[in-house]
């Protein structure tokens, strides 16, 4: 849980206009917690939920259900919620009700209710920060990775897509071993890691298993 600052970030590709990317909030009132989803207000938009049901979603103007890769980010700094698409701010809104402590599990590709809205498509570089990333940091993350994805599909609507006892043996730098792009991202002139500020990162999930670096 984070009490004041938050960033939810992912690369997604879908032709379906609805579905949750992240969800950690209560399914019953006052629905404390946070989430980011497709189709929050209209089909294909990106919606960020923080706090409780007082204000509802901060929803993008742009839609992204065009079956191409998009970088989506939602940030909250304690007072303002912002949605970015492909490195550019799309919408912002005042949210003064905080984030609150959600004691529910973190869900990926679904919400936490029995009538879950599953995400159908591809996702990669799924990350959570316990701070609000700046606009320049978000654009830098987008610009580093755009156009480099050829990821496996994670089907969250099947019964066997519940993951237990996930563990990491070492920190995984954002941008390391990007999908089959023929560059060594760890060091040197082609490094994609240099300049990325990973402070506050609490989760990074990289799904691609096909690299040559």
């Amino acid at each position: 849980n984070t009490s004041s600052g938050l960033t939810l970030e992912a690369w997604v590709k879908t032709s379906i206009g609805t579905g949750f990317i992240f969800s950690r909030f209560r399914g019953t009132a006052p629905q404390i917690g946070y989430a980011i989803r497709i189709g929050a207000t209209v089909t294909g938009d990106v919606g960020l939920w923080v706090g409780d049901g007082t204000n509802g979603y901060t929803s993008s103007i742009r839609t992204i259900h065009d079956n191409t890769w998009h970088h989506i980010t939602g940030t909250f700094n304690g007072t303002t919620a912002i949605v970015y698409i492909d490195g550019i701010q799309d919408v912002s809104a005042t949210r003064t009700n905080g984030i609150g402590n959600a004691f529910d599990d973190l869900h990926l590709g679904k919400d936490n209710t029995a009538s879950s809205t599953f995400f159908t498509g591809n996702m990669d570089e799924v990350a959570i920060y316990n701070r609000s990333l700046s606009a320049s940091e978000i654009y830098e993350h987008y610009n580093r990775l755009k156009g480099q994805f050829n990821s496996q599909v994670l089907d969250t609507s099947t019964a066997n897509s519940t993951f237990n006892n996930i563990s990491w043996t070492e920190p995984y730098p954002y941008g390391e071993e990007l999908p089959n792009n023929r560059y060594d991202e760890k060091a040197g002139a082609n490094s994609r890691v240099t300049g990325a500020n990973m402070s506050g990162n609490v989760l990074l999930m990289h799904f691609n298993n096909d690299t040559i670096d």
Side-chain angles (χ1 to χ4, degrees), residues 12-213:
V12 298
K13 177 183 177 182
T14 183
S15 61
I16 307 301
T18 186
F20 278 83
I21 308 303
F22 292 100
S23 171
R24 192 179 190 188
F25 71 102
R26 297 178 188 174
T28 57
Q31 296 178 301
I32 296 171
Y34 52 85
I36 191 167
R37 63 166 296 175
I38 312 298
T41 303
V42 299
T43 301
D45 70 355
V46 179
L48 174 66
W49 178 283
V50 289
D52 56 36
T54 302
N55 298 121
Y57 283 98
T58 301
S59 298
S60 69
I61 299 169
R62 183 179 172 187
T63 58
I64 64 166
H65 59 304
D66 55 3
N67 205 36
T68 60
W69 282 105
H70 292 284
H71 181 256
I72 65 171
T73 311
T75 67
F76 179 66
N77 64 5
T79 58
T80 305
I82 304 176
V83 173
Y84 297 80
I85 298 177
D86 294 335
I88 304 298
Q89 178 177 322
D90 184 279
V91 68
S92 67
T94 300
R95 293 289 183 264
T96 57
N97 49 337
I99 298 174
N101 290 318
F103 297 101
D104 301 89
D105 294 332
L106 174 68
H107 297 268
L108 180 66
K110 67 182 291 292
D111 69 3
N112 63 342
T113 67
S115 57
S116 299
T117 303
F118 293 102
F119 172 78
T120 301
N122 295 26
M123 64 174 70
D124 211 334
E125 301 299 325
V126 177
I128 299 177
Y129 295 77
N130 62 9
R131 65 184 181 91
S132 176
L133 296 186
S134 68
S136 61
E137 287 176 311
I138 291 167
Y139 184 79
E140 196 271 338
H141 284 191
Y142 160 72
N143 198 49
R144 169 185 297 127
L145 295 178
K146 63 182 179 182
Q148 297 177 1
F149 286 86
N150 184 24
S151 294
Q152 303 298 309
V153 174
L154 177 66
D155 185 356
T156 59
S157 65
T158 59
N160 63 357
S161 58
T162 298
F163 299 94
N164 297 313
N165 301 317
I166 297 176
S167 63
W168 289 264
T169 57
E170 61 178 339
Y172 196 86
Y174 188 94
E176 181 181 325
E177 300 300 332
L178 301 181
N180 198 20
N181 64 353
R182 302 184 182 276
Y183 291 121
D184 181 356
E185 285 82 21
K186 296 184 292 298
N190 293 319
S191 175
R192 298 295 202 275
V193 177
T194 301
N197 180 3
M198 294 300 290
S199 64
N201 179 252
V202 294
L203 174 69
L204 175 60
M205 300 183 73
H206 179 86
F207 297 123
N208 185 271
N209 60 2
D210 180 19
T211 68
I212 62 171
D213 299 333

